[in-house]
Amino acid sequence: MARPEFHLFVCTQRRPDGHPRGSCTAKGGAALLDAFAQALIRRNLQGRMALTGTGCLGPCQAGANVLVYPGAVMYSWVEPADAEVIVRQHLLEGEPWVDKLTPSELW
């Protein structure tokens, strides 16, 4: 695999129901991972972008969370419909999507 231009880490942490930190899977993390995969496939970006499901990224209260490298840009409260916007605006056009950036007090 060639070095990717961007690497997206999508939290798919699963915790038991009622866990005090919650989990990104309960907030749609698995569906979000699939939405990013489909967005990359539709644009034929699999060779340019890497996508990885991860454990906890930190701000569980703000999940589902996505971390993008390079740049260490974290998005929170991300929903599957947001994947297309992040791919287009951030990865292809170079402008992080301000509306979904994780607040500095959380990360």
Side-chain angles (χ1 to χ4, degrees):
M1 176 175 160
R3 179 184 294 184
E5 294 172 37
F6 289 96
H7 197 146
L8 294 96
F9 298 91
V10 178
C11 182
T12 57
Q13 176 70 48
R14 181 180 307 272
R15 291 193 179 97
D17 290 341
H19 190 282
R21 291 188 68 191
S23 72
C24 284
T25 294
K27 296 175 183 174
L32 182 59
L33 181 65
D34 185 59
F36 272 105
Q38 294 305 313
L40 296 176
I41 290 168
R42 273 192 294 281
R43 294 175 181 266
N44 197 29
L45 295 172
Q46 308 92 299
R48 292 176 50 195
M49 314 292 171
L51 176 64
T52 303
T54 71
C56 187
L57 292 173
C60 304
Q61 70 275 30
N65 298 296
V66 177
L67 181 58
V68 180
Y69 277 99
V73 175
M74 185 173 298
Y75 293 102
S76 291
W77 297 285
V78 183
E79 299 174 10
D82 300 330
E84 282 289 339
V85 178
I86 293 170
V87 168
R88 178 185 46 78
Q89 186 172 316
H90 184 151
L91 306 185
L92 296 176
E93 297 174 4
E95 287 295 322
W97 188 18
V98 176
D99 293 354
K100 291 285 181 164
L101 290 176
T102 305
S104 60
E105 63 270 11
L106 297 180
W107 190 72

